[in-house]
Amino acid sequence: MNYYDWGGFFFLYLGIRWSGKSKVLLSYIVLSGVLQAIIGVLQLLGFANSRHPGFSMTGCFFNPAPFSCYLALTLVLLWGMLLIYWARLTRILRLALSGCSLFLAGFLIYLDSRASWLALAGGCIYLFYSFRTSGVIRLRSLLRPEFPARIIGPGLSVLFLIFLYFYRQPSSDGRLFIWSV
């Protein structure tokens, strides 16, 4: 086992010990995602070895797809924490968390994984619908005529899925039609 694994076990231990405090546990999950992204940068620069010979960046995972999905879901969790705790955070903490958010978002763009984009889109949809009636996001005041909102939302979702299909069509065809081989 290398130091990545021991660090992960350490943060898992701390998370389990403090599991009664959800804010602390969520903070450790976000911290682990930022550390995963830093490990990915170190792998990209050649200071750390990838865990798969065919890929240059895998983080602590053996494949870049779960690595990028973990970063996407960490980013969604970070955005949710920012929405919930924004008013209670100090200015320095707001800047630090916003910087981590930009770092993770930029790293996801560099990873270029359709799976992470789907994970990010699904998480953002969940956040949007979770906070739509709260004081954070006022969906009702933005979308008074509900009919266009019911058409635009699914329409944008279909366009997003079509974009993901045509983005790397041979790869998508291989995944969709694998049973015909």
Side-chain angles (χ1 to χ4, degrees):
M1 289 180 50
N2 56 23
Y3 63 92
Y4 303 135
D5 297 330
W6 286 110
F9 285 133
F10 174 72
F11 285 116
L12 179 65
Y13 170 76
L14 288 178
I16 291 171
R17 289 287 292 179
W18 293 336
S19 62
K21 301 174 183 174
S22 62
K23 186 176 176 181
V24 174
L25 182 62
L26 296 177
S27 299
Y28 274 111
I29 293 171
V30 168
L31 180 65
S32 72
V34 172
L35 291 176
Q36 284 289 327
I38 290 171
I39 291 168
V41 169
L42 291 175
Q43 289 174 344
L44 180 67
L45 296 175
F47 294 118
N49 293 330
S50 174
R51 298 187 123 197
H52 192 283
F55 301 108
S56 62
M57 283 186 304
T58 57
C60 292
F61 299 91
F62 293 104
N63 194 313
F67 172 54
S68 60
C69 285
Y70 183 73
L71 293 181
L73 293 176
T74 301
L75 184 60
V76 170
L77 180 63
L78 177 62
W79 287 342
M81 287 179 67
L82 283 173
L83 285 172
I84 292 170
Y85 300 116
W86 184 263
R88 292 182 249 165
L89 296 175
T90 64
R91 185 176 180 166
I92 294 172
L93 200 52
R94 285 181 188 173
L95 288 173
L97 291 176
S98 299
C100 289
S101 175
L102 288 174
F103 176 62
L104 286 172
F107 201 67
L108 280 176
I109 292 170
Y110 182 79
L111 281 170
D112 196 28
S113 170
R114 286 179 309 206
S116 68
W117 293 352
L118 282 172
L120 187 65
C124 287
I125 289 170
Y126 174 77
L127 279 180
F128 186 70
Y129 281 108
S130 295
F131 290 103
R132 74 178 189 270
T133 57
S134 70
V136 179
I137 299 173
R138 299 264 185 213
L139 177 66
R140 299 278 182 220
S141 63
L142 293 175
L143 304 172
R144 261 301 153 199
E146 291 186 15
F147 180 72
R150 292 182 185 185
I151 301 293
I152 292 171
L156 288 176
S157 300
V158 168
L159 286 175
F160 180 69
L161 291 174
I162 290 171
F163 166 75
L164 287 180
Y165 173 75
F166 285 111
Y167 180 66
R168 281 190 236 136
Q169 188 174 0
S171 174
S172 298
D173 287 341
R175 294 181 197 293
L176 281 175
F177 306 116
I178 195 162
W179 60 85
S180 64
V181 174

